[in-house]
Amino acid sequence: DDIDDSNTWDTTDNGVIPYSIVGNINGEILKLDEGVNDYYSGSSSAVYSYIETGDMVLSSDFVNAEDIIKTVSMVRPTVKPQSTQTPLMIEVGVRDSLSDDIKWSTPEPYIIGVSRKTDQRASGKYVRLRFSTEQADDQWVLDGHTIEFYYRGNR
């Protein structure tokens, strides 16, 4: 049997897929859902959505930067403008070894369109960030972030 996929692949778009896709470790290509973080029918709460970075060493100044403890004091996200002023929660995760569990800070609210930054206080050799919300109808796009930190030495 021949497979006819001409209805699912539009060659007139110069090969551009008209929706977001992602690959997984099994070699599958999956279509990402798009839309509003809204209540599912029959559910009592909104979807918890988040973006989380990987572990960051936060320095290229030192040869062994992963051995130096850093204290994060401020996070400033760059979020695309939107019409509503909703809270985006920001957490800082730290650990001293990649085999250690991540210790997360208390989520600090960043009000999109109002706040300039969030003050943080977390120390570790490896740092990661989590941006999240569980508000219904929240739409936010994270363009980037700035981290202010200082060195504490090594242990």
Side-chain angles (χ1 to χ4, degrees), residues 55-67:
D55 290 291
M56 299 178 283
V57 178
L58 296 184
S59 174
S60 60
D61 296 343
F62 298 99
V63 175
N64 296 322
E66 63 275 356
D67 293 333

Side-chain angles (χ1 to χ4, degrees), residues 93-104:
V94 293
R95 57 182 162 179
D96 290 333
S97 170
L98 293 176
S99 60
D100 293 344
D101 290 337
I102 300 167
K103 296 177 213 145
W104 290 101

Side-chain angles (χ1 to χ4, degrees), residues 106-126:
T106 302
E108 293 291 332
Y110 175 88
I111 308 301
I112 299 171
V114 176
S115 301
R116 293 175 24 109
K117 64 183 177 75
T118 62
D119 294 322
Q120 302 284 340
R121 185 84 171 162
S123 297
K125 294 179 181 179
Y126 297 93

Side-chain angles (χ1 to χ4, degrees), residues 30-149:
L30 307 170
K31 179 182 174 189
L32 294 175
D33 288 334
E34 294 180 2
V36 177
N37 181 14
D38 204 351
Y39 292 104
Y40 285 115
S41 59
S43 174
S44 62
S45 62
V47 175
Y48 174 73
S49 60
Y50 69 94
I51 297 174
E52 186 175 312
T53 69
D55 290 291
M56 299 178 283
V57 178
L58 296 184
S59 174
S60 60
D61 296 343
F62 298 99
V63 175
N64 296 322
E66 63 275 356
D67 293 333
I68 298 172
I69 298 167
K70 298 94 181 168
T71 296
V72 175
S73 58
M74 183 273 299
V75 176
R76 180 183 302 117
T78 306
V79 183
K80 285 194 176 181
Q82 62 182 37
S83 60
T84 59
Q85 296 176 348
T86 57
L88 178 64
M89 303 307 285
I90 301 175
E91 297 170 79
V92 177
V94 293
R95 57 182 162 179
D96 290 333
S97 170
L98 293 176
S99 60
D100 293 344
D101 290 337
I102 300 167
K103 296 177 213 145
W104 290 101
S105 67
T106 302
E108 293 291 332
Y110 175 88
I111 308 301
I112 299 171
V114 176
S115 301
R116 293 175 24 109
K117 64 183 177 75
T118 62
D119 294 322
Q120 302 284 340
R121 185 84 171 162
S123 297
K125 294 179 181 179
Y126 297 93
V127 176
R128 60 173 54 208
L129 300 177
R130 183 185 293 155
F131 304 90
S132 64
T133 185
E134 57 185 34
Q135 301 288 319
D137 296 330
D138 267 2
Q139 297 184 50
W140 51 276
V141 176
L142 182 68
D143 274 344
H145 61 272
T146 302
I147 301 172
E148 191 173 284
F149 68 96

